Amino acid sequence: MALLKKINQILLLLLVLTVCAILYNKVHQVPLALRNETGDLESPEEVEEEIPVVICAPAGRMGAAVAAISSIYSNTEANVLFYITGLKTTIPHIRKWIENSKLKEIKFKIVEFNPMVLKGKIRQDASRPELLQPLNFVRFYLPLLIQKHEKVIYLDDDVIVQGDIQELYDTKLAPGHAAAFSDDCDLPSTHEMVRSVGMQNTYMGFLDYRKQAIRDLGISPSTCSFNPGVIVANMTEWKHQRITKQLEKWMQRNVEENLYSSTLGGGVATSPMLIVFHGKYSSINPMWHIRHLGWSPDARYSEQFLQEAKLLHWNGRYKPWDYPSVHTDLWENWFIPDPSGKFKLTRPDS
Protein backbone atom coordinates (compact mmCIF):
# COMPACT_ATOMS: atom_id res chain seq x y z
CA MET A 1 0.00 0.00 0.00
CA ALA A 2 2.83 2.39 0.86
CA LEU A 3 4.40 1.72 -2.53
CA LEU A 4 1.10 2.33 -4.35
CA LYS A 5 0.56 5.59 -2.43
CA LYS A 6 4.06 6.75 -3.37
CA ILE A 7 3.45 5.98 -7.08
CA ASN A 8 0.19 7.96 -7.00
CA GLN A 9 2.00 10.92 -5.46
CA ILE A 10 4.65 10.82 -8.19
CA LEU A 11 1.98 10.64 -10.94
CA LEU A 12 0.12 13.57 -9.39
CA LEU A 13 3.34 15.60 -9.25
CA LEU A 14 4.06 14.83 -12.93
CA LEU A 15 0.52 15.88 -13.88
CA VAL A 16 0.90 19.19 -12.05
CA LEU A 17 4.25 19.84 -13.72
CA THR A 18 2.76 19.09 -17.17
CA VAL A 19 -0.13 21.50 -16.62
CA CYS A 20 2.29 24.21 -15.45
CA ALA A 21 4.47 23.70 -18.54
CA ILE A 22 1.48 24.04 -20.86
CA LEU A 23 0.33 27.25 -19.15
CA TYR A 24 3.86 28.67 -19.26
CA ASN A 25 4.13 28.06 -23.00
CA LYS A 26 0.80 29.75 -23.70
CA VAL A 27 1.78 32.86 -21.75
CA HIS A 28 5.44 33.25 -22.77
CA GLN A 29 5.91 31.82 -26.26
CA VAL A 30 3.88 34.31 -28.34
CA PRO A 31 6.23 35.72 -31.04
CA LEU A 32 7.12 39.34 -30.33
CA ALA A 33 6.41 40.21 -33.95
CA LEU A 34 2.73 39.57 -33.28
CA ARG A 35 2.47 41.92 -30.31
CA ASN A 36 1.60 45.56 -30.68
CA GLU A 37 2.81 48.29 -28.36
CA THR A 38 -0.02 47.80 -25.88
CA GLY A 39 0.71 44.10 -25.51
CA ASP A 40 -2.42 42.97 -27.34
CA LEU A 41 -2.04 40.16 -29.83
CA GLU A 42 -2.47 40.59 -33.56
CA SER A 43 -3.06 37.80 -36.01
CA PRO A 44 -0.50 37.43 -38.83
CA GLU A 45 -3.20 38.39 -41.34
CA GLU A 46 -3.46 41.84 -39.75
CA VAL A 47 0.24 42.63 -40.29
CA GLU A 48 0.22 43.95 -43.88
CA GLU A 49 3.42 44.94 -45.63
CA GLU A 50 3.56 48.43 -47.09
CA ILE A 51 4.56 48.74 -50.77
CA PRO A 52 6.35 52.04 -51.48
CA VAL A 53 5.96 53.29 -55.06
CA VAL A 54 7.92 56.34 -56.25
CA ILE A 55 6.42 58.35 -59.12
CA CYS A 56 7.46 61.81 -60.30
CA ALA A 57 4.98 64.56 -61.17
CA PRO A 58 6.75 67.04 -63.47
CA ALA A 59 5.15 70.26 -64.65
CA GLY A 60 3.31 69.87 -67.93
CA ARG A 61 2.73 66.14 -67.53
CA MET A 62 1.15 65.70 -64.12
CA GLY A 63 -1.77 63.97 -65.80
CA ALA A 64 0.64 61.13 -66.55
CA ALA A 65 1.47 60.64 -62.88
CA VAL A 66 -2.23 60.78 -61.99
CA ALA A 67 -3.11 58.11 -64.57
CA ALA A 68 -0.28 55.87 -63.36
CA ILE A 69 -1.36 56.20 -59.72
CA SER A 70 -4.99 55.63 -60.64
CA SER A 71 -4.17 52.43 -62.52
CA ILE A 72 -2.07 51.03 -59.66
CA TYR A 73 -4.64 51.87 -56.98
CA SER A 74 -7.53 50.41 -59.00
CA ASN A 75 -5.86 47.07 -59.68
CA THR A 76 -4.61 45.99 -56.25
CA GLU A 77 -5.72 45.27 -52.73
CA ALA A 78 -2.16 45.75 -51.46
CA ASN A 79 -1.17 48.41 -48.94
CA VAL A 80 0.47 50.87 -51.35
CA LEU A 81 2.18 54.07 -50.19
CA PHE A 82 2.83 56.49 -53.05
CA TYR A 83 5.86 58.78 -52.85
CA ILE A 84 4.87 61.51 -55.31
CA THR A 85 7.96 63.54 -56.12
CA GLY A 86 7.94 67.02 -57.58
CA LEU A 87 9.64 70.39 -57.61
CA LYS A 88 8.70 73.06 -55.10
CA THR A 89 6.72 75.06 -57.66
CA THR A 90 4.58 72.13 -58.81
CA ILE A 91 3.80 70.42 -55.51
CA PRO A 92 0.66 72.50 -54.69
CA HIS A 93 -0.87 71.56 -58.05
CA ILE A 94 -0.42 67.80 -57.71
CA ARG A 95 -1.60 67.86 -54.09
CA LYS A 96 -4.80 69.70 -55.08
CA TRP A 97 -5.36 67.26 -57.96
CA ILE A 98 -5.18 64.26 -55.65
CA GLU A 99 -7.16 65.72 -52.78
CA ASN A 100 -10.00 66.86 -55.07
CA SER A 101 -10.48 63.64 -57.01
CA LYS A 102 -11.24 60.01 -56.25
CA LEU A 103 -7.53 59.58 -55.50
CA LYS A 104 -8.07 61.31 -52.16
CA GLU A 105 -8.42 57.79 -50.71
CA ILE A 106 -4.85 56.75 -51.55
CA LYS A 107 -1.98 56.73 -49.05
CA PHE A 108 0.64 59.19 -50.28
CA LYS A 109 3.49 61.45 -49.34
CA ILE A 110 4.53 64.48 -51.36
CA VAL A 111 8.32 64.66 -51.63
CA GLU A 112 10.13 67.78 -52.83
CA PHE A 113 13.16 67.13 -55.03
CA ASN A 114 15.85 69.78 -54.85
CA PRO A 115 17.47 70.18 -58.29
CA MET A 116 20.56 71.71 -56.70
CA VAL A 117 21.89 68.19 -56.14
CA LEU A 118 22.38 68.03 -59.91
CA LYS A 119 24.47 71.19 -60.17
CA GLY A 120 27.52 70.54 -62.35
CA LYS A 121 26.41 66.99 -63.15
CA ILE A 122 24.29 67.47 -66.30
CA ARG A 123 25.74 68.31 -69.68
CA GLN A 124 23.46 70.74 -71.50
CA ASP A 125 22.18 69.36 -74.80
CA ALA A 126 19.56 71.16 -76.86
CA SER A 127 18.55 68.21 -79.06
CA ARG A 128 16.12 66.78 -76.49
CA PRO A 129 15.85 69.25 -73.59
CA GLU A 130 12.98 67.31 -72.00
CA LEU A 131 15.48 64.59 -71.09
CA LEU A 132 17.40 67.06 -68.94
CA GLN A 133 14.48 67.82 -66.61
CA PRO A 134 15.61 67.39 -62.97
CA LEU A 135 12.93 64.83 -62.10
CA ASN A 136 14.41 62.43 -64.69
CA PHE A 137 17.20 61.87 -62.16
CA VAL A 138 15.06 61.16 -59.08
CA ARG A 139 15.71 57.43 -59.56
CA PHE A 140 19.42 58.09 -58.87
CA TYR A 141 18.59 59.38 -55.38
CA LEU A 142 16.07 56.86 -54.05
CA PRO A 143 17.76 56.43 -50.63
CA LEU A 144 17.49 60.19 -50.03
CA LEU A 145 13.74 60.09 -50.65
CA ILE A 146 12.89 56.79 -48.99
CA GLN A 147 14.06 56.31 -45.41
CA LYS A 148 12.23 53.43 -43.77
CA HIS A 149 11.72 50.89 -46.57
CA GLU A 150 14.00 48.02 -47.52
CA LYS A 151 12.44 47.46 -50.94
CA VAL A 152 11.09 50.15 -53.29
CA ILE A 153 9.39 50.35 -56.69
CA TYR A 154 10.24 53.25 -58.99
CA LEU A 155 8.03 53.94 -62.03
CA ASP A 156 8.29 56.50 -64.80
CA ASP A 157 5.21 58.68 -65.06
CA ASP A 158 4.33 57.54 -68.61
CA VAL A 159 3.17 54.07 -67.56
CA ILE A 160 -0.08 52.44 -66.62
CA VAL A 161 -0.33 49.28 -64.53
CA GLN A 162 -2.86 46.62 -65.52
CA GLY A 163 -1.71 43.95 -63.07
CA ASP A 164 -1.50 43.75 -59.28
CA ILE A 165 1.50 45.82 -58.13
CA GLN A 166 2.06 43.23 -55.38
CA GLU A 167 3.31 40.85 -58.07
CA LEU A 168 5.93 43.35 -59.23
CA TYR A 169 6.95 44.06 -55.64
CA ASP A 170 7.49 40.32 -55.08
CA THR A 171 10.22 40.29 -57.76
CA LYS A 172 13.19 38.37 -56.35
CA LEU A 173 16.53 40.16 -56.27
CA ALA A 174 19.62 37.98 -56.25
CA PRO A 175 22.04 38.39 -53.32
CA GLY A 176 24.28 41.41 -53.92
CA HIS A 177 21.93 43.01 -56.45
CA ALA A 178 20.69 46.52 -55.67
CA ALA A 179 18.03 46.58 -58.40
CA ALA A 180 15.98 44.65 -60.94
CA PHE A 181 15.18 45.87 -64.47
CA SER A 182 13.67 44.56 -67.70
CA ASP A 183 16.13 43.54 -70.41
CA ASP A 184 15.50 45.15 -73.79
CA CYS A 185 16.01 41.76 -75.49
CA ASP A 186 13.84 39.68 -73.18
CA LEU A 187 10.48 39.58 -74.98
CA PRO A 188 10.38 38.19 -78.53
CA SER A 189 6.97 39.79 -79.22
CA THR A 190 8.55 43.26 -78.90
CA HIS A 191 11.45 42.56 -81.26
CA GLU A 192 9.45 43.34 -84.41
CA MET A 193 8.37 46.66 -82.88
CA VAL A 194 11.98 47.52 -82.04
CA ARG A 195 13.15 46.70 -85.58
CA SER A 196 10.29 48.58 -87.25
CA VAL A 197 11.01 51.87 -85.47
CA GLY A 198 14.79 51.54 -85.55
CA MET A 199 15.18 51.59 -81.79
CA GLN A 200 18.43 50.46 -80.24
CA ASN A 201 18.41 47.68 -77.64
CA THR A 202 22.15 47.32 -77.06
CA TYR A 203 24.81 49.38 -75.30
CA MET A 204 25.92 50.73 -78.69
CA GLY A 205 22.71 52.76 -78.79
CA PHE A 206 23.46 54.51 -75.50
CA LEU A 207 27.22 54.95 -75.12
CA ASP A 208 29.78 56.59 -77.41
CA TYR A 209 32.26 53.81 -78.15
CA ARG A 210 34.57 56.28 -79.87
CA LYS A 211 35.53 57.50 -76.39
CA GLN A 212 38.38 55.74 -74.61
CA ALA A 213 36.62 55.87 -71.24
CA ILE A 214 33.76 53.82 -72.69
CA ARG A 215 36.05 51.29 -74.37
CA ASP A 216 37.98 50.91 -71.12
CA LEU A 217 34.82 49.58 -69.45
CA GLY A 218 35.26 46.34 -71.37
CA ILE A 219 31.54 46.10 -72.14
CA SER A 220 30.72 44.71 -75.58
CA PRO A 221 28.69 47.21 -77.63
CA SER A 222 26.33 44.35 -78.57
CA THR A 223 25.42 43.75 -74.90
CA CYS A 224 21.66 43.94 -74.38
CA SER A 225 20.56 47.12 -72.64
CA PHE A 226 17.84 47.48 -70.00
CA ASN A 227 15.20 50.11 -69.37
CA PRO A 228 15.26 51.93 -65.98
CA GLY A 229 11.71 53.24 -66.30
CA VAL A 230 10.59 50.40 -64.01
CA ILE A 231 12.86 49.52 -61.09
CA VAL A 232 12.54 47.23 -58.09
CA ALA A 233 15.32 48.34 -55.74
CA ASN A 234 16.92 47.05 -52.54
CA MET A 235 17.80 50.12 -50.46
CA THR A 236 20.30 48.30 -48.21
CA GLU A 237 22.36 47.11 -51.18
CA TRP A 238 21.96 50.45 -52.94
CA LYS A 239 23.48 52.29 -49.98
CA HIS A 240 26.10 49.61 -49.28
CA GLN A 241 27.36 49.75 -52.88
CA ARG A 242 27.15 53.57 -52.94
CA ILE A 243 25.14 53.40 -56.16
CA THR A 244 24.20 57.08 -56.06
CA LYS A 245 27.86 58.11 -55.80
CA GLN A 246 28.76 55.84 -58.70
CA LEU A 247 26.01 57.33 -60.86
CA GLU A 248 27.10 60.85 -59.99
CA LYS A 249 30.68 60.00 -60.96
CA TRP A 250 29.59 59.02 -64.47
CA MET A 251 27.36 62.08 -64.75
CA GLN A 252 30.34 64.30 -63.98
CA ARG A 253 32.58 62.41 -66.41
CA ASN A 254 29.97 62.92 -69.12
CA VAL A 255 30.00 66.67 -68.45
CA GLU A 256 33.77 66.64 -68.99
CA GLU A 257 34.09 64.08 -71.81
CA ASN A 258 30.64 63.83 -73.51
CA LEU A 259 30.46 60.06 -73.15
CA TYR A 260 26.78 59.75 -73.97
CA SER A 261 24.67 62.34 -75.73
CA SER A 262 20.91 62.76 -75.59
CA THR A 263 21.00 62.24 -79.36
CA LEU A 264 21.66 58.58 -78.55
CA GLY A 265 18.95 56.14 -77.48
CA GLY A 266 18.28 56.83 -73.85
CA GLY A 267 19.52 60.32 -73.27
CA VAL A 268 21.43 61.20 -70.14
CA ALA A 269 19.51 59.28 -67.45
CA THR A 270 19.71 55.73 -68.81
CA SER A 271 23.38 55.64 -69.76
CA PRO A 272 24.93 56.02 -66.26
CA MET A 273 22.68 53.23 -65.00
CA LEU A 274 23.75 50.95 -67.84
CA ILE A 275 27.37 51.47 -66.77
CA VAL A 276 26.91 51.16 -63.01
CA PHE A 277 24.56 48.16 -63.09
CA HIS A 278 26.24 46.23 -65.91
CA GLY A 279 26.17 42.53 -64.97
CA LYS A 280 24.85 43.35 -61.49
CA TYR A 281 21.07 43.39 -61.66
CA SER A 282 18.16 40.98 -61.44
CA SER A 283 15.40 40.60 -64.03
CA ILE A 284 11.80 41.77 -63.93
CA ASN A 285 9.17 39.59 -65.58
CA PRO A 286 9.02 40.99 -69.15
CA MET A 287 5.23 41.24 -69.07
CA TRP A 288 5.72 43.75 -66.27
CA HIS A 289 7.36 46.21 -68.64
CA ILE A 290 5.99 46.37 -72.18
CA ARG A 291 7.89 49.25 -73.72
CA HIS A 292 8.22 51.45 -76.81
CA LEU A 293 4.55 52.48 -77.03
CA GLY A 294 5.69 56.08 -77.42
CA TRP A 295 8.47 55.47 -79.92
CA SER A 296 6.41 55.90 -83.10
CA PRO A 297 2.90 57.20 -83.82
CA ASP A 298 2.44 54.41 -86.36
CA ALA A 299 3.82 51.20 -84.77
CA ARG A 300 1.25 49.25 -82.80
CA TYR A 301 1.12 46.07 -80.73
CA SER A 302 -1.76 43.60 -81.09
CA GLU A 303 -4.70 44.32 -78.79
CA GLN A 304 -4.57 40.79 -77.37
CA PHE A 305 -0.91 41.20 -76.42
CA LEU A 306 -1.58 44.53 -74.71
CA GLN A 307 -4.52 43.11 -72.77
CA GLU A 308 -2.25 40.42 -71.35
CA ALA A 309 0.47 42.92 -70.38
CA LYS A 310 0.86 43.86 -66.72
CA LEU A 311 2.46 47.26 -67.33
CA LEU A 312 2.54 49.50 -70.41
CA HIS A 313 5.23 52.14 -70.95
CA TRP A 314 4.98 54.96 -73.51
CA ASN A 315 8.73 55.62 -73.56
CA GLY A 316 9.68 57.80 -76.51
CA ARG A 317 8.47 61.14 -77.90
CA TYR A 318 4.83 60.24 -78.57
CA LYS A 319 2.98 60.36 -75.24
CA PRO A 320 -0.63 59.19 -74.80
CA TRP A 321 -1.81 62.57 -73.49
CA ASP A 322 -0.46 64.26 -76.65
CA TYR A 323 -1.17 63.85 -80.35
CA PRO A 324 -0.19 61.87 -82.34
CA SER A 325 0.19 58.77 -80.18
CA VAL A 326 -0.93 55.14 -80.12
CA HIS A 327 -3.07 53.00 -77.82
CA THR A 328 -4.39 56.13 -76.12
CA ASP A 329 -7.64 54.37 -75.16
CA LEU A 330 -5.77 52.09 -72.76
CA TRP A 331 -4.15 55.08 -71.09
CA GLU A 332 -7.33 57.18 -70.93
CA ASN A 333 -9.08 54.40 -69.00
CA TRP A 334 -7.11 55.57 -65.96
CA PHE A 335 -6.81 59.30 -66.56
CA ILE A 336 -8.57 61.62 -64.09
CA PRO A 337 -9.25 65.16 -65.36
CA ASP A 338 -7.48 68.04 -63.63
CA PRO A 339 -9.92 69.76 -61.21
CA SER A 340 -8.11 73.05 -61.83
CA GLY A 341 -8.40 72.68 -65.61
CA LYS A 342 -4.70 73.44 -66.17
CA PHE A 343 -3.79 70.05 -67.65
CA LYS A 344 -5.67 69.19 -70.84
CA LEU A 345 -5.37 66.28 -73.23
CA THR A 346 -4.22 67.08 -76.76
CA ARG A 347 -6.55 65.40 -79.25
CA PRO A 348 -7.22 65.84 -83.02
CA ASP A 349 -10.55 67.56 -82.37
CA SER A 350 -9.36 69.73 -79.46
Side-chain angles (χ1 to χ4, degrees), residues 244-259:
T244 297
K245 289 295 183 185
Q246 292 188 58
L247 292 167
E248 287 183 327
K249 182 191 81 170
W250 283 102
M251 292 170 74
Q252 289 169 331
R253 289 198 66 175
N254 183 57
V255 170
E256 299 162 2
E257 305 173 49
N258 195 20
L259 302 176

Side-chain angles (χ1 to χ4, degrees), residues 16-212:
V16 171
L17 290 173
T18 301
V19 171
C20 289
I22 292 172
L23 291 174
Y24 179 90
N25 284 336
K26 285 187 175 182
V27 172
H28 293 281
Q29 291 190 350
V30 177
L32 290 178
L34 304 182
R35 296 173 184 262
N36 63 21
E37 293 180 353
T38 62
D40 296 330
L41 302 184
E42 297 177 351
S43 68
E45 290 76 18
E46 292 173 345
V47 181
E48 188 177 10
E49 187 173 17
E50 203 168 55
I51 298 179
V53 177
V54 177
I55 295 181
C56 297
R61 46 194 285 169
M62 287 187 190
V66 166
I69 293 168
S70 172
S71 68
I72 295 166
Y73 179 66
S74 301
N75 287 307
T76 188
E77 296 294 327
N79 181 22
V80 180
L81 173 59
F82 293 97
Y83 284 83
I84 304 169
T85 309
L87 302 181
K88 187 175 183 178
T89 54
T90 61
I91 283 175
H93 186 187
I94 191 66
R95 184 184 295 278
K96 181 179 179 181
W97 199 330
I98 290 170
E99 293 178 348
N100 290 277
S101 70
K102 67 179 183 181
L103 292 181
K104 62 180 179 291
E105 299 175 353
I106 69 171
K107 290 175 61 178
F108 72 99
K109 292 182 179 180
I110 299 288
V111 181
E112 179 186 343
F113 182 69
N114 186 351
M116 289 303 295
V117 302
L118 300 173
K119 188 175 181 180
K121 301 183 182 73
I122 300 178
R123 183 183 184 89
Q124 296 303 312
D125 192 325
S127 60
R128 290 194 65 187
E130 73 276 12
L131 297 177
L132 304 178
Q133 294 299 317
L135 295 181
N136 281 342
F137 301 92
V138 162
R139 71 197 91 186
F140 290 14
Y141 296 94
L142 292 177
L144 300 182
L145 305 173
I146 308 295
Q147 302 296 328
K148 65 175 184 174
H149 300 284
E150 168 75 7
K151 198 174 186 181
V152 175
I153 293 173
Y154 167 87
L155 299 176
D156 276 354
D157 60 353
D158 52 355
V159 308
I160 62 164
V161 173
Q162 300 185 137
D164 187 340
I165 198 72
Q166 179 74 56
E167 185 180 329
L168 178 60
Y169 185 75
D170 290 340
T171 298
K172 301 297 184 185
L173 273 68
H177 285 178
F181 307 97
S182 288
D183 287 317
D184 284 330
C185 309
D186 59 7
L187 200 59
S189 51
T190 68
H191 293 175
E192 183 179 346
M193 168 78 83
V194 170
R195 286 193 297 270
S196 68
V197 300
M199 186 172 183
Q200 294 290 334
N201 60 0
T202 66
Y203 273 56
M204 175 65 83
F206 296 87
L207 304 178
D208 188 348
Y209 276 84
R210 295 172 299 178
K211 301 298 173 67
Q212 187 62 44

Side-chain angles (χ1 to χ4, degrees), residues 1-14:
M1 287 295 292
L3 179 60
L4 183 60
K5 184 176 180 181
K6 191 168 185 178
I7 291 173
N8 287 338
Q9 289 174 338
I10 292 171
L11 291 174
L12 181 61
L13 178 61
L14 290 173

